[in-house]
Amino acid sequence: MRILGEFQRKDGAVERRFTGAERKMIRNLATGLADVMATADDPGDDDPVLRRLLPDAVPGDEEASAEFRAATRERLAASKAEGAQRVVADLEAAPGGVVRLDDEVAVVWAKALGDLRIALAERVGFDNVQKATSPQGLMYAWLTWLQGSLVEVLDAS
């Protein structure tokens, strides 16, 4: 396994070695995402990350959107927070930085990496990687590549 390499399938698991800096960066993003998702039930919270990750179901129809929010928002926010927390836990428990995932957990990771990308893009105010030349933009591009690497491994099985 190469450092900074793609996810690979090895002995029936999906794995990748993460450097200390990579683990710290993902841990910070994921912890922040979990914290934001914990505020999802606050009707006064107008956080742009919440608006993006938990959008209105029927834009322009507040009544239908409110009904949908009441039925799904708490469960969806909890699922996103749990995914982010799972990523953090797996990174912290990784011997030598090597994360080994079964396919079910790898899907959780793929979803969580997508949520991290969206949250980062919303926080720094860009909507595509071509506009992203800052360190945050490079981080976004790396997360996009990392998620793609994971999806490719899952898709090949």
Side-chain angles (χ1 to χ4, degrees):
M1 168 106 11
R2 296 174 309 233
I3 293 179
L4 302 177
E6 298 176 338
F7 277 97
Q8 298 177 359
R9 186 160 300 276
K10 184 175 177 185
D11 300 327
V14 177
E15 70 175 38
R16 183 181 188 279
R17 181 183 313 275
F18 287 85
T19 67
E22 290 173 332
R23 290 192 308 267
K24 183 177 181 181
M25 177 182 61
I26 293 173
R27 184 175 48 247
N28 288 342
L29 291 170
T31 300
L33 178 63
D35 291 347
V36 168
M37 288 299 116
T39 69
D41 60 347
D42 179 357
D45 194 340
D46 196 31
D47 188 308
V49 171
L50 287 175
R51 283 195 316 267
R52 183 80 187 274
L53 288 173
L54 305 171
D56 283 341
V58 188
D61 186 340
E62 183 52 39
E63 186 177 326
S65 290
E67 184 177 331
F68 185 80
R69 266 193 309 274
T72 64
R73 188 171 176 107
E74 184 179 327
R75 188 172 61 247
L76 183 57
S79 175
K80 290 179 179 300
E82 288 167 9
Q85 292 164 342
R86 176 63 192 250
V87 167
V88 170
D90 289 342
L91 287 169
E92 289 177 351
V98 177
V99 172
R100 289 184 51 85
L101 311 168
D102 63 30
D103 284 2
E104 185 177 319
V105 175
V107 169
V108 171
W109 267 66
K111 291 177 185 179
L113 289 172
D115 289 341
L116 295 180
R117 289 178 46 243
I118 291 168
L120 176 62
E122 197 60 42
R123 284 285 183 246
V124 298
F126 60 86
D127 55 12
N128 75 44
V129 73
Q130 287 77 27
K131 295 180 182 177
T133 58
S134 66
Q136 296 89 349
L138 296 173
M139 189 182 325
Y140 176 86
W142 179 76
L143 286 170
T144 301
W145 171 83
L146 186 65
Q147 183 186 30
S149 166
L150 180 54
V151 170
E152 285 180 18
V153 169
L154 289 170
D155 191 44
S157 50

